Structure formats: C-alpha cells, structure tokens
C-alpha cells in the first residue's frame, strides 16, 4: 500500500516539475526580451542625441536666405560624412516598432505566468510526504521506486526536448518570414533605375514620398520587415537552454543597407551595392535555416534515445514486478 501511494506522489511531483520547467523557459525568454528592450531603448536614446545635435547645427544656418532649412537638412544628412545621422534617420521608426514588439510579447508572457497556479507550497508538502513514506517502505519497494524515479526523470527530459522542438519550429517559421521579406526587398530593388538625393531624403523622412520612390521605399521597407523578423527569430530561440544556434546582430541589415544606399547615390548608378548587401543577408539567413534544421534533427535523435531509455526502464520495472513474491507468485 505504501509503495503505491509513493508511486502516486512521484507522478504528481513529476507533473509539478514539468510545470516548473515550462515556467523557467518562459522566464528565460522574458529576461532576454527585457534585455533586448533595454538595449533598443539605449539605441533610440543615442539616435535622439544624434538627430537633436544635427537639428541644433541647422538652426544656426537658417539666416542664410539663399538656403532653405529643408535644403540644409537634406545636404547635411544625406552625406557620407554624416553617415551616423543618415542611419539614425532611417532606422528610428523600425526601432520604435521593435520596442513595441518586445513590450507586446512580454505582456503575453506575463499573462501566461499569471494564469498559472503557484504550486510551490503544495509541492513542498508532497515532497515531505514522499520522504516520510520512502523511509517507511521496505528495501524491495525502495529499489522499485528508484526505477520509477529514473523513468520519470527521463520522461521530463523528453518533454523538455519536445518543447525545444516547438520553439525551433516557431523560430523556423519566423525565419522563413524574414527570408521572404528579403526576397521581396531584392525584387523591388532590381527595378530601381537609380538613386537621387531626393530619394535618400525621402528615406530619411525629410521629404514626403512620391510615386517615383515607391520601389526604393518598398526595398527599404521590406529590409526593415526582415530586421523585425530576425529579432523575433532570436526571441524564439532564447527559451531553449544550452542552445548552440547563434544569430548575428540583426541591426547589421539596416546599417549595411544605409551605407550601400549612400555608395549607390555617389556612384549614380543602379543600387548594386544595396542589392549586394541584401543578397548577403539573405544568404546568411539561408545558412541559419540549415543550422536550425540540423539542430532540430539533433533534438529528434536525442528524443529517440531518451525514449529508448525510458522503454528499457519500464521493461526492467515490469520484470522486477513479476519477480516480486506474492500470494499469486510463490515460486
């Protein structure tokens, strides 16, 4: 009787440990999101300083009647010597959206955590009961319970790896969205015939867009969309413990594109540098796709091995049970 009650306690404790592992996964992801939010906030503050500094310089030149303020802004910002200002002007809006994405996901995680019941006190009570029953169980019962304990430990490892697979699947889906956005950016960029100063002014939000800038705006807009998807890809991977997949800083997509756009403007030709930069990021993400697929295959192999171990422990427990002397099995 004691042995069966001990088994029941082990099953209930395993369920609590399972919930605890899921909470730890959410906490790891939330901690990474909060760190990303702080980093993005610092980047926005830095950009604010750069843009305000540029505006303060422009205020001193307004008295030059032959130069309008807008013309001064365009000439100063759309210039290779002011590359940092140009990057800040292009990236500011997408970093704001990045902060909104992080805040939304943190709120979703907080809502999930709040819905979960806190079973810590009940779990501690069950552990005390288990320790008391284990001490009153005979040696044979303790050996059989040790097998059950090992089997439940393996089961917990299996479900944890299955959660890893779910996170990898979500990350893979987000990665595909990022690749599609880069492909759309390339498709729009191949139709751009050339880049003028007004085009760059429109990208820097200094002048209103016209229909002739539609393709260039589409190219940059899709690159920004890819930037957001790559950030979300990293967010999905943060919940996986001991992950071997590392993705480089997504902001390189926008930094490289801004530099390439200025080069294309000074060369006065089609956006070859910009297209080459977007192609490079697309190629890199295809490499990440292969790494994720390989990692997924590795996790599936780990699950197969763990399930084989779980089956072996189950058969051993059944064998021990059959060998147990009882009124029905005396010899």
């Amino acid at each position: 009787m004691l042995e069966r009650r001990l088994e029941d306690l082990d099953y209930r404790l395993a369920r609590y440990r399972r919930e605890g592992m899921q909470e730890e996964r959410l906490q790891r992801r939330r901690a990474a999101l909060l760190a990303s939010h702080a980093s993005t906030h610092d980047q926005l503050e830095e950009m604010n300083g750069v843009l305000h500094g540029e505006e303060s310089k422009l205020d001193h030149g307004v008295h030059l009647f032959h130069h309008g303020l807008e013309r001064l802004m365009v000439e100063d910002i759309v210039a290779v010597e002011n590359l940092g200002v140009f990057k800040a002007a292009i990236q500011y809006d997408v970093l704001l959206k990045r902060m909104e994405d992080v805040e939304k996901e943190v709120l979703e995680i907080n809502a999930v955590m709040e819905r979960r019941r806190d079973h810590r006190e009940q779990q501690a009570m069950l552990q005390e009961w288990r320790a008391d029953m284990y001490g009153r169980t005979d040696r044979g019962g303790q050996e059989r319970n040790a097998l059950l304990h090992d089997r439940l430990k393996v089961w917990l490892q299996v479900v944890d790896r299955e959660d890893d697979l779910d996170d990898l699947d979500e990350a893979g889906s987000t990665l595909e969205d990022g690749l599609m956005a880069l492909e759309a950016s390339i498709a729009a960029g191949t139709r751009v015939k050339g880049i003028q100063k007004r085009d760059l002014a429109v990208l820097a939000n200094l002048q209103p867009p016209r229909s002739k800038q539609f393709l260039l705006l589409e190219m940059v807009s899709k690159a920004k969309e890819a930037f957001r998807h790559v950030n979300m890809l990293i967010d999905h991977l943060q919940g996986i413990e001991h992950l071997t997949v590392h993705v480089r800083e997504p902001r390189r997509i926008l930094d490289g594109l801004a530099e390439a756009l200025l080069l294309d403007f000074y060369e006065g030709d089609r956006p070859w540098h910009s297209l080459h930069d977007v192609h490079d990021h697309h190629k890199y993400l295809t490499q990440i796709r292969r790494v994720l697929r390989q990692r997924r295959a590795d996790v599936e192999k780990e699950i197969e091995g763990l399930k084989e171990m779980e089956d072996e422990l189950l058969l051993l427990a059944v064998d021990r049970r059959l060998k147990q002397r009882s009124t029905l099995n005396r010899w």
Side-chain angles (χ1 to χ4, degrees), residues 46-47 50-51 54 57 74-91 200 204 251 254-266:
E46 181 183 351
M47 287 182 179
V50 171
L51 294 174
E54 191 67 22
K57 288 192 302 182
V74 172
E75 290 181 352
D76 282 359
I77 293 179
V78 183
V80 68
E81 57 270 17
N82 274 345
L83 178 60
V85 182
F86 183 59
K87 287 182 179 179
I90 286 183
Q91 299 179 21
L200 297 183
R251 193 176 166 186
L254 303 180
D255 283 344
L257 183 58
E259 295 176 10
L261 286 168
L262 278 177
L263 283 175
D264 289 326
F265 161 65
Y266 282 109

Side-chain angles (χ1 to χ4, degrees), residues 113-294:
M113 297 288 286
E114 289 175 1
R115 288 196 299 268
R116 290 180 177 272
R117 296 176 58 187
D118 189 357
H119 298 291
R120 290 180 179 84
E121 293 184 1
Q122 188 173 359
Q123 184 176 352
M125 180 181 64
L126 292 177
Q127 287 174 340
E128 291 180 3
W129 288 356
R130 184 191 181 282
D132 178 64
M133 290 185 184
Y134 186 82
R136 291 189 287 143
T137 305
D138 59 25
R139 183 174 179 179
Q142 291 180 354
E143 291 179 354
R144 287 186 293 273
N145 182 259
L147 283 175
L148 173 64
H149 191 75
D150 291 341
R151 185 156 53 89
L152 291 174
K153 183 178 179 181
V154 174
W155 173 76
L156 288 172
Q157 292 176 339
V158 169
V159 294
D160 189 48
R161 296 299 185 276
E162 289 175 346
D163 287 342
D164 287 347
L165 287 181
D166 292 338
D167 284 343
L168 287 170
D169 288 340
E170 289 184 15
S173 178
T174 305
L175 175 61
E176 294 301 324
D177 292 337
L179 285 168
M180 290 176 62
L182 289 178
E183 290 165 6
S185 177
I186 294 169
T190 54
R191 298 166 61 190
V192 176
K193 296 181 179 179
I195 298 180
Q196 306 299 322
K197 181 176 289 188
R198 178 177 173 81
D199 301 333
L200 297 183
V202 169
L203 293 177
N205 298 310
L206 299 175
Q207 293 180 353
R210 295 179 180 175
S211 58
K212 63 180 298 184
Q213 282 97 29
F214 173 77
L215 291 174
L216 186 60
L217 284 170
E218 184 73 3
M219 178 184 183
V220 176
S221 174
K222 292 299 181 181
K224 290 180 178 181
E225 186 179 328
F227 165 81
R228 292 177 67 191
H229 285 306
V230 175
N231 274 292
M232 288 188 284
L233 161 69
I234 296 174
D235 295 341
H236 286 308
L237 298 177
Q238 294 300 328
I240 304 177
E241 195 173 13
H242 308 305
L243 183 68
T244 57
V245 179
H246 301 284
V247 183
R248 68 189 183 190
E249 174 57 45
R251 193 176 166 186
R252 292 177 62 174
I253 298 174
L254 303 180
D255 283 344
L257 183 58
E259 295 176 10
L261 286 168
L262 278 177
L263 283 175
D264 289 326
F265 161 65
Y266 282 109
E267 291 186 0
D269 200 350
R270 289 179 178 271
W272 302 122
H273 294 288
S274 303
L275 285 170
H276 183 267
D277 186 76
V278 177
H279 268 290
D280 282 346
H281 290 297
H282 185 276
K283 182 178 179 181
Y284 173 74
L285 289 186
T286 56
Q287 294 173 352
I288 296 297
R289 175 202 277 164
R290 289 195 292 270
V291 173
L292 287 179
R293 288 176 177 174
Q294 181 58 51

Side-chain angles (χ1 to χ4, degrees), residues 88-127:
I90 286 183
Q91 299 179 21
Y92 193 85
D93 61 334
V94 73
L95 288 181
L96 282 176
K97 291 179 181 178
R98 168 61 185 161
M99 288 191 67
E100 292 174 1
D101 292 338
V102 172
E103 290 168 359
K104 180 181 178 182
E105 188 162 2
V106 169
L107 289 176
E108 291 175 356
I109 292 176
N110 288 340
V112 173
M113 297 288 286
E114 289 175 1
R115 288 196 299 268
R116 290 180 177 272
R117 296 176 58 187
D118 189 357
H119 298 291
R120 290 180 179 84
E121 293 184 1
Q122 188 173 359
Q123 184 176 352
M125 180 181 64
L126 292 177
Q127 287 174 340

Side-chain angles (χ1 to χ4, degrees), residues 48-62 69 73 76-77 85 206:
N48 272 326
V50 171
L51 294 174
H52 288 325
E54 191 67 22
E55 290 175 358
S56 65
K57 288 192 302 182
L58 293 172
D59 290 340
H60 299 295
V62 177
L69 179 59
M73 292 177 70
D76 282 359
I77 293 179
V85 182
L206 299 175

Side-chain angles (χ1 to χ4, degrees), residues 293-308:
R293 288 176 177 174
Q294 181 58 51
R295 178 55 183 154
R296 194 184 194 287
D298 293 340
V299 174
E300 288 177 342
K301 289 182 180 178
E302 291 178 25
I303 291 175
E304 290 178 4
L306 288 170
K307 286 186 175 179
E308 289 179 1

